[in-house]
Amino acid sequence: MDKYALQKSVTVSGTSQCLHIAHVSTDRVWISGNKGNLILTNKTGVTLDRVTGLPEYGGGVHTVNSDSDVIYIDSHGNIIKLSTDHKVKTTVIPYTYPWTPWSVYSSPSTGDLLVGMYNTGTVTGQVHRYTNTGEHMQTIQHDNTGQGMYSDPQYITENRNEDVIVSDFGRHAVVVTDSRGRHRFTYTGPTPGSRLNPHGICTDALSHILVCDYYTYTVQIIDQDGLFLTQIETEQHGIYKPWSLSYDWDTQLHWVGSAIYNKVNIYRLINEGDDLTGELHSYMIV
């Protein structure tokens, strides 16, 4: 069984929570925290820059594209791109009533933007795919029986096979479709009847899917087909309520942030077996 070893703990200045993490590089990450703040920090926790005016609901409200631009949802529901030099803000996708963007992710393989949307009137969710310039390409909503797949798509990411992976708080599930929007599986916990309270989500070089479970206060790891593999017991390392996740493709380290502290733990997967570095030169997820 794979195990995860704590490598380092980082205290992030300028926030009291770490609600979402997106890597710019090995040494720099954007972390969204409380009061709508977005903080650029280094591995020692020093604040390098700050953006304000983001939503406060604690979802996957920002991402980083292949050009190292940060893309985020503002408090008005617009999706904004901040240039690499942090001087120019561009509205990529304007808010369109009644669908409010809950989460955003820049695909490293295609450059597309995947956006989890929420409709407060119908309490339903959708996933929309846009080009990197904001042109709408695809809507994902129903499974092959016509039933809606999403309720509250708070976090969204993509696996190496281009599966679209949603952490849906309202459904208490991780919902996975292929790139065409066809439902592949829904994960609701490691055993039948178990409960899942999902938040932050990411994938890694082995195509594992990692999700923060706010019910068991662990990070659960499943394979690309939904089979439970293991979990990280973060509480013993000072992360009592894990909420956010990111994977650094250069170092193969997993970052786990807390919902109640300004603390991030960095873990390494041990007993990996295979050398992964040869596959990482052209692929990065943030």
Side-chain angles (χ1 to χ4, degrees), residues 34-196:
N34 59 323
K35 299 181 180 179
N37 288 323
L38 180 60
I39 295 168
L40 179 65
T41 184
N42 62 19
K43 290 174 68 174
T44 64
V46 174
T47 298
L48 305 175
D49 202 354
R50 180 190 303 269
V51 178
T52 59
L54 276 72
E56 299 185 22
Y57 49 75
V61 295
H62 68 281
T63 185
V64 176
N65 65 17
S66 57
D67 294 325
S68 298
D69 302 317
V70 62
I71 298 167
Y72 64 91
I73 303 167
D74 72 10
S75 58
H76 302 291
N78 304 301
I79 297 179
I80 307 296
K81 181 173 74 172
L82 181 64
S83 61
T84 306
D85 60 9
H86 307 166
K87 294 181 179 179
V88 179
K89 293 182 180 180
T90 305
T91 300
V92 181
I93 304 169
Y95 169 69
T96 303
Y97 179 84
W99 291 99
T100 300
W102 234 229
S103 52
V104 61
Y105 177 78
S106 178
S107 166
S109 58
T110 64
D112 297 342
L113 292 176
L114 298 169
V115 183
M117 297 281 196
Y118 176 70
N119 187 321
T120 54
T122 60
V123 195
T124 57
Q126 295 178 345
V127 169
H128 291 232
R129 183 186 295 271
Y130 298 85
T131 66
N132 59 8
T133 58
E135 179 183 353
H136 186 266
M137 301 171 63
Q138 179 189 33
T139 299
I140 305 172
Q141 184 174 13
H142 300 106
D143 63 17
N144 56 6
T145 68
Q147 297 297 310
M149 291 185 287
Y150 309 112
S151 170
D152 188 7
Q154 284 199 355
Y155 289 84
I156 189 167
T157 191
E158 183 184 63
N159 216 337
R160 300 184 72 189
N161 60 1
E162 299 187 4
D163 279 355
V164 177
I165 303 164
V166 170
S167 173
D168 195 305
F169 177 75
R171 290 202 61 190
H172 298 284
V174 174
V175 181
V176 179
T177 67
D178 66 16
S179 61
R180 296 185 179 181
R182 296 174 297 194
H183 180 253
R184 289 199 61 232
F185 65 88
T186 297
Y187 173 79
T188 58
T191 58
S194 61
R195 181 180 176 184
L196 188 70

Side-chain angles (χ1 to χ4, degrees), residues 167-240:
S167 173
D168 195 305
F169 177 75
R171 290 202 61 190
H172 298 284
V174 174
V175 181
V176 179
T177 67
D178 66 16
S179 61
R180 296 185 179 181
R182 296 174 297 194
H183 180 253
R184 289 199 61 232
F185 65 88
T186 297
Y187 173 79
T188 58
T191 58
S194 61
R195 181 180 176 184
L196 188 70
N197 196 340
H199 291 285
I201 199 162
C202 73
T203 63
D204 66 14
L206 295 173
S207 297
H208 293 159
I209 300 168
L210 290 82
V211 59
C212 290
D213 179 25
Y214 209 64
Y215 180 69
T216 60
Y217 300 150
T218 64
V219 176
Q220 296 186 15
I221 296 94
I222 61 178
D223 71 10
Q224 66 178 349
D225 297 313
L227 176 66
F228 174 79
L229 300 174
T230 187
Q231 61 189 24
I232 306 175
E233 305 285 347
T234 62
E235 185 175 355
Q236 62 183 310
H237 303 132
I239 302 287
Y240 178 55

Side-chain angles (χ1 to χ4, degrees), residues 4 7 21-29 41-43 105 201-206 210 245-256 264-269 272 276-277 279-281 283-286:
Y4 290 78
Q7 300 293 296
I21 308 168
H23 270 81
V24 180
S25 65
T26 296
D27 298 320
R28 295 190 301 159
V29 296
T41 184
N42 62 19
K43 290 174 68 174
Y105 177 78
I201 199 162
C202 73
T203 63
D204 66 14
L206 295 173
L210 290 82
L245 282 168
S246 186
Y247 181 71
D248 182 353
W249 284 83
D250 292 329
T251 62
Q252 300 167 27
L253 296 176
H254 299 78
W255 292 50
V256 183
V264 175
N265 279 356
I266 303 173
Y267 293 88
R268 179 178 294 280
L269 174 62
E272 290 177 330
L276 307 176
T277 56
E279 301 182 38
L280 300 182
H281 65 282
Y283 194 89
M284 183 175 73
I285 288 183
V286 293

